Amino acid sequence: MTNEPPGSELSAPSERAVPQMRLLPWSTPDDRPCFLITDGEGGPVSDLADSIEEIQLGIGEELLRHARAMHADPKVPDRECRYLSRRLAEALDDALRVARN
C-alpha cells in the first residue's frame, strides 16, 4: 500500500497519453484538411474515420479489378477508360492522403 490518494495512479504524468493529430479522410467545404486531436484510445469520430478509410480502400480495390478487366478487353471505348482513369485518380488520392499521415 502507498500513501497516495485513490485514483492518483491514473493521473501519473508518465502514464498519460500524448495527444496526437490525426488527419481525417474528409475535408472542409472549402477543401481544407480536417484533423482530430486524439489520445489514441479511439472514439466515435475516430471510428467513423476508420470506417470511411476502409470504404475508400475498398472502392480503390474494386476500381483496380475493373481496370484490369478493361485493359484485357481491346473493345472498351476510350470514354470508359477516361472515366475509369478519373475514378482511379480519386481513389489513389484518398489512399495517399491517409498513407502520408
Side-chain angles (χ1 to χ4, degrees):
M1 295 206 84
T2 65
N3 293 331
E4 299 288 327
S8 63
E9 66 278 355
L10 298 177
S11 61
S14 63
E15 294 181 20
R16 287 187 199 155
V18 177
Q20 301 171 351
M21 300 250 318
R22 175 183 177 172
L23 177 65
L24 296 172
W26 55 81
S27 302
T28 64
D30 58 345
D31 205 33
R32 294 185 319 175
C34 292
F35 291 91
L36 173 67
I37 297 174
T38 178
D39 59 4
E41 294 295 319
V45 176
S46 187
D47 292 345
L48 176 62
D50 289 343
S51 296
I52 290 173
E53 289 169 0
E54 282 297 316
I55 290 168
Q56 289 172 333
L57 290 174
I59 289 169
E61 290 172 343
E62 185 177 329
L63 286 168
L64 185 56
R65 281 192 299 275
H66 188 62
R68 287 183 174 140
M70 284 179 65
H71 286 270
D73 183 358
K75 296 179 183 177
V76 173
D78 287 345
R79 71 180 183 279
E80 287 186 35
C81 288
R82 283 191 302 275
Y83 178 80
L84 177 63
S85 175
R86 284 191 299 271
R87 301 296 78 84
L88 283 167
E90 291 168 357
L92 181 58
D93 188 46
D94 289 339
L96 290 174
R97 175 187 173 97
V98 171
R100 285 187 181 134
N101 294 295

